[in-house]
Amino acid sequence: MTEEFPLAPDLCHLNHAAVGPWPRRTAEVVAQFARENSRQGSLGYPQWLGVEQRLRERLARLIAADSADDIALAKNTSEALSIIAQGLTWEPGDNIIGIRQEFPSNRIVWESLADRGVEWRALDLEASTDPEGDLIARCDARTRMIAISWVQYASGLRLDLKRIGAFCQDKGVLFCVDAIQGLGALPFDLASTQADFVVADGHKWMLGPEGVALLYVRPELRDQLSLHQFGWHMVEHCGDFDRTDWAPAASARRFECGSPNLLGVHALEASLSLLEEVGMDQVRERLQARVDHLIRLIDARGFDLLTPRELERRAGILTFRVPGVASDHLYAELMARRVLCAHRGGGIRFSPHFYTPMEVLDRAMGVVDAVIHG
């Protein structure tokens, strides 16, 4: 698998929770797309649209959706969440249940509804030993939605979506899942989670580019989201430019107002082809082996593990702290020594992927040793 990731040999890439590298096939597809465009213009546009359709099909399979028609392509997670938040009809007194430690995209979008009288109720994960139960306990008769990330971006905590989804289904509460830190790292099953909305950008664990994101809306809810962006691409009879009457597309394309990002589409479709070839069960097993290895290395050094140890509570993120060492200083030194990581949640966040060589993990921890003992 290393042939698909020709990363510089002196680089320890442990930052898939931020921006992942492209596989070789993705870089080649993008280069070919650029060459074709520069030589033939848009002559191949019908074939480009075929790639777009294949991407929708791959994304549908990735989350186990019923149809590619259920998949919209947004620009990013923030746009996808905004389509949901601004599309639903809210009443003063409604509330949304979320998490205080969320990435800003999954906080600001709900806080923006305050001027409509909608309350965002945030659970403090640091004060919770049962996050699912505490999220559920915050619900009342005016709760319209639980909106959470599948995997927390800083701590790496993975939530039990099945438990939350079952509660929401039983109580008639909408369930919105930001899956950006899980899709591409772990298998996802839409039926068992019972999510009404799933969003995720492609540039992290899916190994694609920035600028293309998944937006899933349960088909029964599609026409309940009011539209705030309009254009030629979101209408039912897309391509019939002389037609004067129009209606939003019945499919999820109704959420895509204008021209698609076909460069990004080609890249993400190629990256997902690799994940499908490997198989998401294999991706999960290989990634878990690497996270397990990192945990052993961290424990052997007496560092503080900030990510849950339980297998069912983590995905690909591992955050740790070195006692007596400022994490911001350690982060700066690691980056200067080409250990690509992140400073999150008061610690150092490592996020390998399924293909990351074990020796890269050993070498990265060796660099940590050199910094703190240096």
Side-chain angles (χ1 to χ4, degrees):
M1 191 52 63
T2 54
E3 69 277 3
E4 277 284 0
F5 295 92
L7 293 163
D10 65 333
L11 176 70
C12 294
H13 194 301
L14 299 173
N15 209 26
H16 294 84
V19 179
W22 295 356
R24 183 191 298 274
R25 69 179 66 189
T26 303
E28 291 174 351
V29 161
V30 168
Q32 173 59 31
F33 183 87
R35 285 193 297 269
E36 179 182 342
N37 200 313
S38 66
R39 295 172 182 173
Q40 302 185 54
S42 60
L43 182 64
Y45 205 92
Q47 288 72 44
W48 299 352
L49 294 181
V51 177
E52 180 192 39
Q53 178 61 22
R54 289 204 304 273
L55 174 58
R56 294 182 198 272
E57 292 168 356
R58 291 192 192 277
L59 288 169
R61 289 193 292 270
L62 189 65
I63 66 170
D66 289 336
S67 169
D69 285 344
D70 298 335
I71 304 300
L73 302 177
K75 292 193 292 293
N76 46 58
T77 306
S78 297
E79 181 185 59
L81 288 170
S82 293
I83 288 171
I84 297 164
Q86 300 302 318
L88 288 168
T89 300
W90 303 95
E91 299 292 339
D94 287 346
N95 66 71
I96 301 163
I97 310 300
I99 291 173
R100 183 177 300 173
Q101 288 82 5
E102 286 281 8
F103 191 76
S105 296
N106 210 2
R107 170 175 51 81
I108 293 171
V109 67
W110 311 116
E111 291 177 327
S112 73
L113 300 171
D115 61 358
R116 302 192 204 179
V118 178
E119 178 188 6
W120 181 66
R121 297 180 177 176
L123 168 67
D124 182 0
L125 285 176
E126 295 179 1
S128 175
T129 58
D130 178 16
E132 294 84 5
D134 289 339
L135 285 166
I136 290 170
R138 277 166 169 69
C139 296
D140 60 21
R142 295 304 306 274
T143 299
R144 289 284 311 284
M145 176 186 288
I146 294 179
I148 49 101
S149 289
W150 183 15
V151 179
Q152 290 297 305
Y153 82 102
S155 69
L157 170 69
R158 172 159 56 116
L159 294 177
D160 184 349
L161 299 184
K162 293 182 181 179
R163 182 179 173 190
I164 300 171
F167 167 82
C168 290
Q169 184 72 12
D170 182 58
K171 300 298 182 182
V173 174
L174 296 173
F175 187 26
C176 180
V177 176
D178 178 349
I180 194 171
Q181 294 293 3
L183 279 187
L186 301 171
F188 185 93
D189 180 55
L190 190 59
S192 64
T193 65
Q194 303 187 76
D196 297 295
F197 310 101
V198 180
V199 301
D201 209 323
H203 68 271
K204 299 184 186 291
W205 303 94
M206 286 187 269
L207 302 169
E210 293 180 290
V212 185
L214 159 76
L215 167 60
Y216 167 84
V217 177
R218 186 180 296 280
E220 296 82 3
L221 296 174
R222 279 204 289 259
D223 61 2
Q224 295 183 32
L225 293 183
S226 60
L227 301 174
H228 298 277
Q229 300 181 92
F230 299 86
W232 71 274
H233 192 262
M234 47 76 66
V235 299
E236 182 62 37
H237 299 284
C238 177
D240 187 354
F241 304 129
D242 294 327
R243 190 176 183 130
T244 56
D245 63 310
W246 61 273
S251 70
R253 185 166 48 81
R254 64 172 46 215
F255 304 117
E256 306 168 11
C257 63
S259 298
N261 173 11
L262 286 176
L263 177 61
V265 162
H266 276 71
L268 184 55
E269 195 274 334
S271 295
L272 291 182
S273 75
L274 173 62
L275 292 178
E276 284 200 339
E277 285 178 17
V278 176
M280 286 310 305
D281 287 335
Q282 274 294 306
V283 169
R284 172 183 56 194
E285 290 184 16
R286 296 181 193 180
L287 177 56
Q288 288 175 351
R290 282 145 180 81
V291 174
D292 287 341
H293 185 64
L294 275 174
I295 290 176
R296 289 191 292 269
L297 295 174
I298 287 168
D299 286 346
R301 289 163 169 78
F303 299 162
D304 297 331
L305 182 64
L306 305 181
T307 298
R309 292 180 179 275
E310 300 84 1
L311 185 61
E312 68 276 7
R313 281 300 192 188
R314 53 181 165 86
I317 289 173
L318 194 79
T319 305
F320 66 95
R321 182 171 50 229
V322 179
V325 178
S327 293
D328 56 350
H329 167 73
L330 178 55
Y331 165 71
E333 288 294 324
L334 290 172
M335 291 291 286
R337 303 180 195 205
R338 294 178 64 78
V339 177
L340 189 54
C341 57
H343 180 209
R344 298 286 189 272
I348 300 300
R349 186 185 72 184
F350 281 178
S351 48
H353 212 324
F354 76 99
Y355 70 88
T356 306
M358 291 294 192
E359 55 265 28
V360 167
L361 307 180
D362 295 332
R363 192 164 78 244
M365 293 306 296
V367 176
V368 173
D369 293 338
V371 171
I372 64 179
H373 298 304

